[in-house]
Amino acid sequence: MVKSFISKYLKPDKTFRSVDEINLDDLKTEGIRGIILDLDDTLIPSDKKTPKEKINKWVKKAKKDFSLFVVSNNSRTEYVKKFCEKFDIPFVAQASKPRGKFLEKAMLHMKLKKKEVIIVGDRVTTDILAGKLFGIKAFLVKPLTKMPSTLQRIVYKVENYILLKIET
């Protein structure tokens, strides 16, 4: 029963090294019209050592063909706002993912159906779980941060263990 839950709710539909590896043409072919994005370590690295240019370029390209909406658990609303204003992307901070309340808000804002929307994030226990509980496709990317904090390293190790268990 536990393995069934884990496989159903924590297994990403697709996995990528970074958001810029997500092929936007493939998404269009699949009927995707909206992308809900996590912010920290998905679009912005937590450290200053990671280059952001490729990610910013991908966001600008995605914005041309897709409705984008950032749903972030970050409690610093001004920080989230600063990034989102740069790209003119609507957002919600302090989202408390995996609760789906703000995923629904994002989807309604985009005026799309669940089958037309995906969520992309770096965390299995927040982003992927939120998407799966809400009933949309969920894509996992590796965290952008090259030098994560001790707490981040622990969380990522636990989530990697979960992903390994799903595969075996």
Side-chain angles (χ1 to χ4, degrees):
M1 183 162 152
V2 171
K3 187 166 179 153
S4 173
F5 173 85
I6 290 171
S7 186
K8 182 175 181 178
Y9 293 107
L10 298 178
K11 184 177 181 182
D13 292 292
K14 293 183 183 178
T15 304
F16 301 90
R17 281 194 303 258
S18 169
V19 292
D20 65 303
E21 286 192 352
I22 299 171
N23 186 310
L24 298 171
D25 291 328
D26 288 350
L27 291 181
K28 282 192 274 188
T29 301
E30 294 172 22
I32 302 301
R33 297 177 49 216
I35 305 171
I36 298 171
L37 294 155
D38 175 50
L39 185 65
D40 294 316
D41 276 330
T42 299
L43 298 176
I44 298 178
S46 298
D47 62 12
K48 304 290 183 208
K49 297 173 176 27
T50 306
K52 303 181 278 200
E53 296 79 26
K54 289 190 326 182
I55 303 300
N56 291 347
K57 185 177 174 183
W58 183 89
V59 170
K60 287 176 187 173
K61 184 177 178 185
K63 183 112 172 65
K64 292 177 184 174
D65 293 319
F66 297 89
S67 291
L68 303 181
F69 200 107
V70 169
V71 176
S72 175
N73 281 356
N74 194 307
S75 60
R76 296 177 298 156
T77 303
E78 284 302 314
Y79 170 82
V80 178
K81 181 180 178 181
K82 182 178 176 183
F83 176 86
C84 292
E85 282 182 340
K86 181 167 66 170
F87 296 101
D88 192 30
I89 300 172
F91 72 93
V92 170
Q94 303 177 28
S96 303
K97 289 177 286 180
R99 287 181 44 218
K101 174 181 174 182
F102 294 111
L103 273 65
E104 183 169 15
K105 178 179 180 173
M107 194 184 73
L108 291 172
H109 178 85
M110 291 188 259
K111 298 180 174 108
L112 297 173
K113 298 177 181 134
K114 287 183 180 181
K115 67 181 182 179
E116 299 173 307
V117 178
I118 62 167
I119 184 170
V120 178
D122 69 302
R123 297 278 312 279
V124 171
T125 55
T126 56
D127 307 309
I128 302 307
L129 181 57
K132 294 296 189 160
L133 289 170
F134 188 62
I136 61 175
K137 286 185 179 179
F139 292 4
L140 181 68
V141 296
K142 298 237 183 273
L144 288 173
T145 300
K146 301 291 186 218
M147 299 293 288
S149 69
T150 302
L151 179 60
Q152 284 174 311
R153 283 197 305 273
I154 292 168
V155 169
Y156 290 134
K157 283 184 188 229
V158 169
E159 291 183 344
N160 283 332
Y161 178 78
I162 292 168
L163 290 172
L164 281 173
K165 287 297 179 189
I166 291 170
E167 298 302 320
T168 57

PDB file of all heavy atoms in Angstrom, residues 22 26 97 100 114 128-129:
ATOM      1  N   ILE A  22      13.591  21.040 -20.888  1.00  0.00           N
ATOM      2  CA  ILE A  22      12.208  20.701 -21.235  1.00  0.00           C
ATOM      3  C   ILE A  22      11.918  21.264 -22.619  1.00  0.00           C
ATOM      4  O   ILE A  22      11.992  22.467 -22.840  1.00  0.00           O
ATOM      5  CB  ILE A  22      11.213  21.252 -20.193  1.00  0.00           C
ATOM      6  CG1 ILE A  22      11.498  20.637 -18.818  1.00  0.00           C
ATOM      7  CG2 ILE A  22       9.776  20.985 -20.633  1.00  0.00           C
ATOM      8  CD1 ILE A  22      10.710  21.263 -17.686  1.00  0.00           C
ATOM      9  N   ASP A  26       7.675  19.858 -27.752  1.00  0.00           N
ATOM     10  CA  ASP A  26       7.059  18.595 -27.331  1.00  0.00           C
ATOM     11  C   ASP A  26       5.835  18.851 -26.454  1.00  0.00           C
ATOM     12  O   ASP A  26       4.817  18.171 -26.586  1.00  0.00           O
ATOM     13  CB  ASP A  26       8.059  17.721 -26.568  1.00  0.00           C
ATOM     14  CG  ASP A  26       9.134  17.124 -27.467  1.00  0.00           C
ATOM     15  OD1 ASP A  26       9.009  17.213 -28.710  1.00  0.00           O
ATOM     16  OD2 ASP A  26      10.111  16.576 -26.917  1.00  0.00           O
ATOM     17  N   LYS A  97       2.801  24.283  -0.562  1.00  0.00           N
ATOM     18  CA  LYS A  97       2.728  23.027  -1.308  1.00  0.00           C
ATOM     19  C   LYS A  97       3.190  21.914  -0.378  1.00  0.00           C
ATOM     20  O   LYS A  97       4.096  22.140   0.415  1.00  0.00           O
ATOM     21  CB  LYS A  97       3.647  23.079  -2.552  1.00  0.00           C
ATOM     22  CG  LYS A  97       3.164  23.993  -3.634  1.00  0.00           C
ATOM     23  CD  LYS A  97       4.139  24.068  -4.798  1.00  0.00           C
ATOM     24  CE  LYS A  97       5.342  24.885  -4.415  1.00  0.00           C
ATOM     25  NZ  LYS A  97       6.350  25.044  -5.419  1.00  0.00           N
ATOM     26  N   GLY A 100      -2.956  21.906  -2.751  1.00  0.00           N
ATOM     27  CA  GLY A 100      -3.247  22.255  -4.132  1.00  0.00           C
ATOM     28  C   GLY A 100      -4.038  23.536  -4.324  1.00  0.00           C
ATOM     29  O   GLY A 100      -4.340  23.914  -5.447  1.00  0.00           O
ATOM     30  N   LYS A 114      -7.109  20.854 -16.472  1.00  0.00           N
ATOM     31  CA  LYS A 114      -6.004  20.114 -15.858  1.00  0.00           C
ATOM     32  C   LYS A 114      -5.149  19.393 -16.892  1.00  0.00           C
ATOM     33  O   LYS A 114      -3.932  19.361 -16.771  1.00  0.00           O
ATOM     34  CB  LYS A 114      -6.531  19.113 -14.823  1.00  0.00           C
ATOM     35  CG  LYS A 114      -7.010  19.769 -13.559  1.00  0.00           C
ATOM     36  CD  LYS A 114      -7.447  18.742 -12.540  1.00  0.00           C
ATOM     37  CE  LYS A 114      -7.922  19.426 -11.275  1.00  0.00           C
ATOM     38  NZ  LYS A 114      -8.326  18.459 -10.244  1.00  0.00           N
ATOM     39  N   ILE A 128       6.105  17.766  -6.878  1.00  0.00           N
ATOM     40  CA  ILE A 128       5.567  16.573  -7.540  1.00  0.00           C
ATOM     41  C   ILE A 128       4.307  16.100  -6.812  1.00  0.00           C
ATOM     42  O   ILE A 128       3.283  15.832  -7.441  1.00  0.00           O
ATOM     43  CB  ILE A 128       6.631  15.449  -7.614  1.00  0.00           C
ATOM     44  CG1 ILE A 128       7.874  15.929  -8.369  1.00  0.00           C
ATOM     45  CG2 ILE A 128       6.040  14.191  -8.256  1.00  0.00           C
ATOM     46  CD1 ILE A 128       7.642  16.519  -9.737  1.00  0.00           C
ATOM     47  N   LEU A 129       4.383  16.012  -5.501  1.00  0.00           N
ATOM     48  CA  LEU A 129       3.221  15.589  -4.714  1.00  0.00           C
ATOM     49  C   LEU A 129       2.038  16.530  -4.938  1.00  0.00           C
ATOM     50  O   LEU A 129       0.909  16.076  -5.125  1.00  0.00           O
ATOM     51  CB  LEU A 129       3.584  15.513  -3.228  1.00  0.00           C
ATOM     52  CG  LEU A 129       2.468  15.067  -2.280  1.00  0.00           C
ATOM     53  CD1 LEU A 129       1.910  13.700  -2.664  1.00  0.00           C
ATOM     54  CD2 LEU A 129       2.973  15.067  -0.838  1.00  0.00           C
TER      55      LEU A 129
END
